[in-house]
Amino acid sequence: IPDILGLNITIPYKVAALKLVQEVEPVAAKIGAINVMKKMKGGSWKGYNTDYYGFLTALEKLEPPEFWKGKNALILGTGGSSMAVAEALSALRMKAKKVSRTPGKDELDYEKLTGRMLKQVCLLVNCTPLGMYPNILAAPRLPWEELPKGAYAVDLIYNPEKTLFLERSEKQGLRVQNGLPMLIAQAEKSWEIWNS
């Protein structure tokens, strides 16, 4: 389609889309996934990752950047969004571990999460599609009663407004935020990219 000047990419294509672009912004290259493409002069395409900026902006709505420094986080999921979240947490100097049903190197298994591990966590981020409409009765498998009271639970999902993951986290005394602040911030960043 010759008139398209840019587009957004969503799950599950953020990693695969890298093969479609001729140039990648440094942050997106470091992440290894893109969610925005921009048509450049001459017709080539450049890839960006606005999830990174969106997530940082969403966290700033909870606490200032200094608050997160040195604290521990768990990232639930290992897809394109989790890659952007991991890079954002690294920029904040947080210590983050990914949790997966099929863990790779340096990743944790849901089945092996212990209360001792969870008690050291300040932030849990759901980067999986579990709980997204229409499958609203799904949630990552966690030892809910072991979740640390007072920590933050952030879900990248915004439909429904409160996922089962957030409901259960809130019930255990965690402070919760859905994916709407991130969605808005990354959309604004996309618009800025396309109009620059």
Side-chain angles (χ1 to χ4, degrees), residues 33-102:
I34 61 171
N35 70 325
V36 171
M37 290 171 61
K38 177 182 179 179
K39 196 172 197 178
M40 307 301 283
K41 286 179 183 167
S44 67
W45 288 87
K46 184 171 180 178
Y48 299 82
N49 193 305
T50 60
D51 283 342
Y52 170 86
Y53 302 101
F55 187 71
L56 282 175
T57 302
L59 276 191
E60 283 176 16
K61 291 185 183 300
L62 298 175
E63 299 286 353
E66 314 82 61
F67 171 85
W68 303 106
K69 187 177 176 182
K71 293 191 167 71
N72 296 313
L74 282 182
I75 301 168
L76 310 178
T78 55
S81 295
S82 76
M83 295 160 79
V85 166
E87 189 59 36
L89 296 181
S90 175
L92 290 170
R93 298 188 184 169
M94 287 190 82
K95 299 172 208 157
K97 282 277 187 188
K98 288 185 184 177
V99 187
S100 175
R101 289 173 297 150
T102 54

Side-chain angles (χ1 to χ4, degrees), residues 7 13 68 72 79 81 106 110 113 154 171 175 178 187-188:
L7 56 116
Y13 304 109
W68 303 106
N72 296 313
S81 295
D106 295 325
Y110 283 100
L113 285 179
V154 175
K171 199 172 182 182
R175 296 172 280 184
N178 71 11
E188 288 172 347

